């Protein structure tokens, strides 16, 4: 029989991990949107390329902070390359989802909705990233 106290503590631990992941995600969103805005609006980099570059910069930010802070209770030192490989694969799928949403929305509604499209993509990809990384990359 499952101990109710243990179940609550496990859920609190998961909530703490999710909240840390979300804070890291906010820093990644700042990197992503800031760089995207600079590349696309100031430097005239094509939207698809600008989205990819900004997304990858955010991935590097997020990986670093997730290792250092969110999942610091786990030891990744001996298999760091495995964790990084898994995180990269999850991120590549996330980039594909991100690009698909931005391209579908801007293709259908026009490039003027690029920011709304990017925000929608970020919201959807956040759930993909958390689920895949929690269940696979950083599984205990």
């Amino acid at each position: 029989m499952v101990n109710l106290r243990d179940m609550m503590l496990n859920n609190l631990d998961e909530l703490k991990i999710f909240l840390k992941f979300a804070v890291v995600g906010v820093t990644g969103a700042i990197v992503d949107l800031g760089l995207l805005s600079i590349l696309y609006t100031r430097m005239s980099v094509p939207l698809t390329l600008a989205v990819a570059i900004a997304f990858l910069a955010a991935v590097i930010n997020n990986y670093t902070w997730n290792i250092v802070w969110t999942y610091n209770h786990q030891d990744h030192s001996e298999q760091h390359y495995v964790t990084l490989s898994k995180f990269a694969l999850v991120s590549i799928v996330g980039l594909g989802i991100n690009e698909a949403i931005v391209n579908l929305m801007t293709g259908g509604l026009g490039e003027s909705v690029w920011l709304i499209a990017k925000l929608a993509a970020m919201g959807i990809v956040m759930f993909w990233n958390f689920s895949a990384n929690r269940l696979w990359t950083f599984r205990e």
Side-chain angles (χ1 to χ4, degrees), residues 19-31 58 61-62 66 122 126:
L19 290 175
K20 284 182 171 184
F21 189 87
V23 169
V24 169
V26 168
T27 67
I30 292 167
V31 169
N61 172 82
N62 291 1
N66 277 316
M122 289 172 72
M126 178 188 71

Short mmCIF file of all heavy atoms in Angstrom, two decimals, residues 19-31 58 61-62 66 122 126:
data_model
loop_
_atom_site.label_atom_id
_atom_site.label_comp_id
_atom_site.label_asym_id
_atom_site.label_seq_id
_atom_site.Cartn_x
_atom_site.Cartn_y
_atom_site.Cartn_z
N LEU A 19 9.16 23.68 -10.91
CA LEU A 19 9.30 25.13 -10.72
C LEU A 19 10.71 25.60 -11.06
O LEU A 19 10.88 26.65 -11.69
CB LEU A 19 8.93 25.51 -9.29
CG LEU A 19 7.44 25.39 -8.95
CD1 LEU A 19 7.19 25.66 -7.47
CD2 LEU A 19 6.59 26.30 -9.82
N LYS A 20 11.72 24.83 -10.68
CA LYS A 20 13.10 25.17 -11.06
C LYS A 20 13.24 25.13 -12.58
O LYS A 20 13.85 26.03 -13.19
CB LYS A 20 14.10 24.21 -10.42
CG LYS A 20 14.35 24.46 -8.96
CD LYS A 20 15.41 23.47 -8.45
CE LYS A 20 15.88 23.77 -7.07
NZ LYS A 20 16.97 22.85 -6.65
N PHE A 21 12.69 24.08 -13.20
CA PHE A 21 12.73 23.95 -14.65
C PHE A 21 12.06 25.16 -15.30
O PHE A 21 12.55 25.70 -16.30
CB PHE A 21 12.05 22.65 -15.07
CG PHE A 21 12.21 22.30 -16.52
CD1 PHE A 21 13.32 21.57 -16.94
CD2 PHE A 21 11.27 22.68 -17.45
CE1 PHE A 21 13.48 21.24 -18.28
CE2 PHE A 21 11.42 22.34 -18.79
CZ PHE A 21 12.52 21.63 -19.20
N ALA A 22 10.95 25.61 -14.73
CA ALA A 22 10.22 26.76 -15.27
C ALA A 22 11.04 28.05 -15.14
O ALA A 22 11.07 28.87 -16.07
CB ALA A 22 8.88 26.92 -14.57
N VAL A 23 11.72 28.24 -14.01
CA VAL A 23 12.57 29.42 -13.84
C VAL A 23 13.69 29.41 -14.87
O VAL A 23 13.98 30.43 -15.51
CB VAL A 23 13.13 29.50 -12.40
CG1 VAL A 23 14.22 30.56 -12.29
CG2 VAL A 23 12.01 29.79 -11.41
N VAL A 24 14.31 28.25 -15.03
CA VAL A 24 15.35 28.12 -16.06
C VAL A 24 14.74 28.42 -17.43
O VAL A 24 15.35 29.10 -18.26
CB VAL A 24 16.00 26.72 -16.03
CG1 VAL A 24 16.88 26.49 -17.25
CG2 VAL A 24 16.81 26.54 -14.75
N GLY A 25 13.53 27.92 -17.66
CA GLY A 25 12.85 28.19 -18.93
C GLY A 25 12.62 29.66 -19.17
O GLY A 25 12.71 30.13 -20.31
N VAL A 26 12.33 30.42 -18.12
CA VAL A 26 12.14 31.87 -18.27
C VAL A 26 13.45 32.52 -18.71
O VAL A 26 13.45 33.37 -19.61
CB VAL A 26 11.62 32.50 -16.95
CG1 VAL A 26 11.70 34.02 -16.99
CG2 VAL A 26 10.18 32.05 -16.69
N THR A 27 14.57 32.10 -18.13
CA THR A 27 15.85 32.66 -18.57
C THR A 27 16.12 32.28 -20.02
O THR A 27 16.62 33.09 -20.80
CB THR A 27 17.04 32.22 -17.68
OG1 THR A 27 17.28 30.82 -17.83
CG2 THR A 27 16.81 32.59 -16.23
N GLY A 28 15.75 31.04 -20.37
CA GLY A 28 15.90 30.61 -21.77
C GLY A 28 15.00 31.41 -22.69
O GLY A 28 15.39 31.75 -23.82
N ALA A 29 13.80 31.72 -22.23
CA ALA A 29 12.87 32.51 -23.05
C ALA A 29 13.42 33.91 -23.29
O ALA A 29 13.27 34.46 -24.39
CB ALA A 29 11.51 32.58 -22.36
N ILE A 30 14.04 34.48 -22.27
CA ILE A 30 14.65 35.81 -22.43
C ILE A 30 15.76 35.75 -23.48
O ILE A 30 15.84 36.61 -24.36
CB ILE A 30 15.15 36.34 -21.07
CG1 ILE A 30 13.95 36.63 -20.17
CG2 ILE A 30 16.03 37.57 -21.25
CD1 ILE A 30 14.32 36.85 -18.71
N VAL A 31 16.61 34.73 -23.37
CA VAL A 31 17.68 34.55 -24.36
C VAL A 31 17.07 34.35 -25.75
O VAL A 31 17.47 35.01 -26.72
CB VAL A 31 18.59 33.35 -23.99
CG1 VAL A 31 19.53 32.99 -25.14
CG2 VAL A 31 19.37 33.63 -22.72
N ALA A 58 19.23 29.42 -26.50
CA ALA A 58 18.42 29.17 -25.30
C ALA A 58 18.64 27.75 -24.78
O ALA A 58 18.68 27.52 -23.57
CB ALA A 58 16.94 29.41 -25.60
N ASN A 61 21.82 27.73 -22.79
CA ASN A 61 21.51 28.36 -21.51
C ASN A 61 20.77 27.38 -20.60
O ASN A 61 21.15 27.19 -19.44
CB ASN A 61 20.67 29.61 -21.75
CG ASN A 61 20.15 30.22 -20.47
OD1 ASN A 61 20.85 30.97 -19.79
ND2 ASN A 61 18.91 29.91 -20.11
N ASN A 62 19.73 26.76 -21.12
CA ASN A 62 18.89 25.89 -20.31
C ASN A 62 19.64 24.64 -19.84
O ASN A 62 19.48 24.21 -18.70
CB ASN A 62 17.63 25.49 -21.07
CG ASN A 62 16.69 26.66 -21.26
OD1 ASN A 62 16.95 27.78 -20.84
ND2 ASN A 62 15.58 26.41 -21.91
N ASN A 66 20.07 23.80 -15.99
CA ASN A 66 19.43 22.58 -15.50
C ASN A 66 20.43 21.65 -14.83
O ASN A 66 20.13 21.05 -13.81
CB ASN A 66 18.67 21.86 -16.62
CG ASN A 66 17.31 22.45 -16.84
OD1 ASN A 66 16.59 22.74 -15.90
ND2 ASN A 66 16.94 22.64 -18.09
N MET A 122 6.70 28.49 -27.96
CA MET A 122 7.44 28.35 -26.71
C MET A 122 6.59 27.67 -25.64
O MET A 122 7.08 26.82 -24.90
CB MET A 122 7.92 29.71 -26.21
CG MET A 122 9.05 30.29 -27.04
SD MET A 122 9.46 31.98 -26.60
CE MET A 122 10.27 31.72 -25.04
N MET A 126 7.62 24.03 -24.21
CA MET A 126 7.98 23.92 -22.80
C MET A 126 7.47 22.60 -22.22
O MET A 126 8.19 21.91 -21.50
CB MET A 126 7.40 25.08 -21.99
CG MET A 126 7.71 24.97 -20.50
SD MET A 126 6.87 26.18 -19.46
CE MET A 126 5.19 25.61 -19.53
#
